Amino acid sequence: MSWINTAFPFAAAMLLTTGQVDARLVVGTLFFLVPYNLAMYGINDVFDYASDAQNPRKGGVEGALLPPSTHRATILWSIGLALPFVVALVAMGGPASWAVLAVSLFAVVAYSAKGLRFKEVPVLDSITSSTHFVSPAAYGLVLAGAEWTPQLWAILAAFFAWGMASHAFGAVQDVVPDREGGIASVATVLGARTTVRLAIALWALAGGLMLLTAWPGPLAALVAVPYIWLAAPFWSVTDAASGAANRGWRRFLWVNYGCGFLVTMLCIWWAMMGR
């Protein structure tokens, strides 16, 4: 269950900026927890059905396989559930927050929807995927009226690098089935070995950027270490053996929870220091 990965960045950004729980925080957190993720994963599952049906990883924790009979209902629920929240958030925000929210929602649709399919444009696929998780935090900061300091930019840049690394590494395990299905990705174009090394470099960059922040922010640089450690065994993986990266990806899903806990503790520490 990775839906908390979009709700938490928004809630943390709002709460650490305003120091209070208000309607914007509650509505926004609920939106990025359920409707946002239903739209993101629902649209993806509908438009990826043909390729997912040929992928042995799909149909479980690594991705749903929705039967065609549910596709129309999934799209309708995705739109219908999100719309009231979007209307409420627009009413509670201003032009700047509207723009960020629009980018976030566009990325959700553009990644998978027919006619856009950013997920099949190498490198743009990783950029768009990272936007899915970073934009809720950016939206929370803008909605809360945060002061945009160099340190804040460093934190968002680190988060973005982490998101790109995670997507790129996840694409490695599908190099063979994606190529067989005629699907392009950052991994099918760069190759498994180069993509793994790119992911490791991006995780290292994320850790390095956190060293530019105020204490205790630099401690978050250590969060990059488990991800690099998990990917390191696949440093020289070949395209033919790229499916083996699934072992690292499965562990990656669990590492997210531990690292998320550490980041939460750092946020609480930072908030208490600011009092």
Side-chain angles (χ1 to χ4, degrees):
M1 181 67 172
S2 61
W3 290 17
I4 191 66
N5 291 344
T6 50
F8 177 79
F10 169 82
M14 282 289 297
L15 192 58
L16 292 176
T17 301
T18 66
Q20 62 183 14
V21 176
D22 58 16
R24 298 175 302 171
L25 175 64
V26 174
V27 173
T29 301
L30 289 175
F31 170 69
F32 285 111
L33 180 63
V34 180
Y36 181 84
N37 282 285
L38 176 62
M40 179 163 61
Y41 294 112
I43 292 172
N44 181 73
D45 288 340
V46 167
F47 287 98
D48 277 12
Y49 178 76
S51 59
D52 285 350
Q54 306 301 318
N55 192 328
R57 293 195 306 108
K58 301 301 180 178
V61 68
E62 297 182 63
L65 185 60
L66 296 181
S69 60
T70 66
H71 289 183
R72 185 172 183 273
T74 298
I75 295 297
L76 290 176
W77 272 104
S78 297
I79 296 172
L81 191 59
L83 190 57
F85 285 89
V86 173
V87 171
L89 290 171
V90 167
M92 291 186 284
S97 67
W98 300 342
V100 179
L101 183 60
V103 169
S104 186
L105 294 175
F106 175 75
V108 165
V109 175
Y111 185 74
S112 304
K114 184 178 180 180
L116 294 170
R117 297 292 288 176
F118 283 8
K119 70 174 297 176
E120 293 191 40
V121 182
V123 181
L124 183 58
D125 55 350
S126 293
I127 291 173
T128 308
S129 177
S130 187
T131 300
H132 292 158
F133 300 99
V134 179
S135 60
Y139 175 68
L141 291 168
V142 173
L143 189 64
E147 179 183 355
W148 289 87
T149 64
Q151 293 185 13
L152 184 55
W153 282 110
I155 292 172
L156 286 180
F159 191 9
F160 202 88
W162 175 88
M164 288 188 65
S166 300
H167 177 273
F169 184 67
V172 171
Q173 61 194 321
D174 289 327
V175 166
V176 173
D178 280 353
R179 282 180 177 163
E180 291 177 348
I183 299 173
S185 74
V186 62
T188 62
V189 170
L190 297 181
R193 180 185 298 112
T194 300
T195 306
V196 169
R197 295 176 181 182
L198 173 63
I200 290 175
L202 286 168
W203 275 318
L205 174 61
L209 286 168
M210 290 307 301
L211 295 176
L212 303 178
T213 64
W215 185 263
L219 291 177
L222 296 174
V223 173
V225 175
Y227 295 102
I228 295 173
W229 177 73
L230 285 176
F234 307 99
W235 179 265
S236 298
V237 69
T238 64
D239 288 358
S242 57
N246 179 252
R247 296 196 309 271
W249 180 253
R250 283 179 173 270
R251 294 171 187 146
F252 169 90
L253 297 175
W254 290 105
V255 166
N256 273 348
Y257 289 104
C259 290
F261 172 76
L262 293 176
V263 170
T264 300
M265 294 300 100
L266 285 174
C267 288
I268 294 173
W269 185 4
W270 183 88
M272 293 179 67
M273 288 179 61
R275 290 183 178 179

